[in-house]
Amino acid sequence: MAQQMGDGHRRFLQTMMANGVVDEQGARSLHQHCCETHNTQYARDKLDDFIAAINSKLQPMFMQIRKGMSEDNGQQYYALFYTDTVQVNMAETDVTRMSSDYADNELELFRKTMDLIVGSESGKASSTDILNSADTLTTKKLKKSETEHLLNRLVHGQWLSEKRGEYTLSTRCIIEMEPYIRTMYQDQVKVCQICHNIAFQCQICENPVCGIKIHNPCVARYFKGRSEPRCPACDDFWPHEIPEIRRPKSQSRK
Amino acid sequence: MSVTVQINHHNREEIHVPRITGTRGPPPLLQESKSPTLQNKTKEAGAGKTASSTGDLNISVAGIGRFKKQATGEFVFGAEWMNTVSESVVLLHFSEAERVAMTQRKRLSTARQQGTLGTQEEDDDPTFTQPSTSQVQKGLEKLTPAQVDQKTAEVVQYFLVKDQKKLPIRRADIVKHVVKEYRNIYPEIMKRVTRTFDQVFGLKLVEIDTKNHVYILINKLETVEGPSSITSPTNPKMGLLFVILSVIFMKGGVVRETLIWNTLKKLRVDPGEKHEDFGDVKKLVTDEFVRQRYLEFVRIPHTEPVEHEFHWGQRADVEVSKAKILEFMGQLHEQDPQSWSQQYREAHSTTDSSQASTSSQR
């Protein structure tokens, strides 16, 4: 049952674009707000249909609103997502989302940071390592203070997240850039065994012939309540600490 | 009572003028000017709220501070970081003769605007001439529908990326960076792009400069306050801009720069100093706002030392509702907006079709 695109859908889309990424609760209240503002029929469980209607119109533009999981808290977020036609151009032309806000050498540093994150076991890059890679830029070099300032901007712009001096790719970045990452890092990038999305912060099976990866939140869900956790692929004992499932904060904004 | 005024554009920045409570007790310095106080038009632009007309009037402008009118009729302006009064609201009153003179100057400069843009504008690509209809037809025949769709999508994305900064987009850049070898079907692509923005995004593609072929995207949807911070992120820069646009509009459309600087100084936004929220204020006002086409900053010939005047920019013309500004003024001074007859006529003129349409006033 495909809905027609109306002003309610357009308002939803505009808000998504303005916010970058929206959590599930936010998306639900936005859905309600948009329907009520434009007197569109609203049903709480019709959010997916609502978004599908938008997506069918976005598809010719190589854009989609996509749901993705935060590696930190396991919650679902919605973000606007471009197909790889545009993303791969990131190395070359001027047409991508990030390029209007960042200079060439800044984008190069971002790509180097991404290299570090993808290549790391923890899915994190320390600020020290990032600062060191600032010295190896082929475009104009960045000073230490400039690099620090740039990292702040990238966090503020919702491309990176920072905790205790270590940087990870933000949820929005992962959702938006998944095709790019899969293309650019196809051999290196980790994929979660449970949800099949790309994974950075994850646990790895210690069996040397197995080595499958599972997102931390996916581990929490998959192994919940099991007294003896076992690898879903090779059945070896799963040696890592099983995290708790994090409940979303109750958000009563009304 | 409270008023919500809006600048309609798709980044959804709005200026809230909500009611605030609490008073500061600085000594009043200035009298409110002697306009007759007519019956309060409590025209509420917020969603379904009814305004109660009481003695005290509190209005705040995001990023600037708050205006509070005391029972004595005097205006008190207090900001988070200051404690004194301001005569800026008084500046917004002026004589009829002054108004007429200002309007005449504006008419002359408007005629001039159409021809040349600011000196910072590069010329339109001289090698690109708009292809004729038959050329477009021929061009389309040689391409598959998929190719045209792809190119349309690329232009849409280009616009969205460029418009994030609210900088206008030049046809020359679109052709050079995106359309490239498809330039012979450029009009067809732009037709589809315009339709896509309208139908999918609720945005209107407007050519604000028909000589140099410069576009901006404006919002067709009215800005509406939502239930959470997601739907209404506020930006103090818009508050500042709003004050400047108001002064220019009330003064007939053109003001000398010194007036703006003095107004801002009284609001404790000093162009000479670095501001907590705005940074380099002078740069923000004369450079960023100008590049975004909210303001025009034009040199006055034969002035020594060089002086400039401010006009509304093309983006402000289409995005900012003059009626809303007048309404805000009306609330601020507790006057009927119609008491400023010149401005009222201009704000409600039906020939001003390029104004962003705001649907039903709530």
Side-chain angles (χ1 to χ4, degrees), chain A residues 5 10-11 14 19 61, chain B residues 199-201 219 222 230:
Chain A
M5 185 122 181
R10 295 178 189 116
R11 188 176 290 277
Q14 284 188 19
N19 279 277
M61 300 302 122
Chain B
Q199 290 178 356
V200 180
F201 295 89
N219 199 354
E222 187 179 352
I230 294 174

Side-chain angles (χ1 to χ4, degrees), chain B residues 344-357:
Chain B
Y344 190 82
R345 267 201 299 279
E346 188 176 336
H348 293 268
S349 110
T350 49
T351 55
D352 202 354
S353 55
S354 58
Q355 282 248 323
S357 60

Side-chain angles (χ1 to χ4, degrees), chain A residues 91-239:
Chain A
E92 305 153 15
T93 67
D94 213 14
V95 193
T96 64
R97 232 154 125 67
M98 281 187 83
S99 62
S100 69
D101 290 334
Y102 302 97
D104 283 345
N105 59 344
E106 296 176 330
L107 289 173
E108 197 192 344
L109 186 86
F110 179 70
R111 286 197 293 276
K112 282 197 185 290
T113 305
M114 202 185 267
D115 290 344
L116 288 167
I117 291 172
V118 174
S120 75
E121 209 179 278
S122 62
K124 300 179 192 169
S126 69
S127 48
T128 318
D129 288 341
I130 299 173
L131 285 166
N132 286 338
S133 54
D135 287 336
T136 65
L137 292 178
T138 58
T139 49
K140 191 169 141 211
K141 299 253 184 293
L142 280 169
K143 293 193 281 237
K144 180 165 184 266
S145 57
E146 288 173 328
T147 307
E148 284 167 349
H149 183 57
L150 169 61
L151 287 172
N152 280 338
R153 280 171 55 212
L154 285 166
V155 170
H156 195 63
Q158 297 181 309
W159 297 105
L160 294 175
S161 301
E162 184 266 338
K163 198 153 55 174
R164 292 185 226 123
E166 291 191 301
Y167 291 87
T168 54
L169 297 181
S170 72
T171 305
R172 181 258 206 132
C173 179
I174 296 173
I175 297 176
E176 276 207 40
M177 295 206 179
E178 171 156 354
Y180 172 81
I181 293 170
R182 281 195 194 260
T183 311
M184 291 298 285
Y185 300 99
Q186 46 193 358
D187 296 323
Q188 250 193 323
V189 73
K190 307 195 267 295
V191 177
C192 175
Q193 181 78 4
I194 304 297
C195 71
H196 308 294
N197 289 318
I198 53 177
F200 299 95
Q201 296 179 73
C202 49
Q203 295 181 356
I204 304 175
C205 178
E206 305 243 304
N207 183 349
V209 300
C210 180
I212 58 132
K213 290 99 182 160
I214 307 181
H215 284 118
N216 294 332
C218 293
V219 168
R221 286 198 203 107
Y222 183 76
F223 288 120
K224 185 182 172 192
R226 294 189 202 211
S227 50
E228 212 182 280
R230 292 196 160 275
C231 173
C234 70
D235 211 35
D236 260 19
F237 181 68
W238 192 263

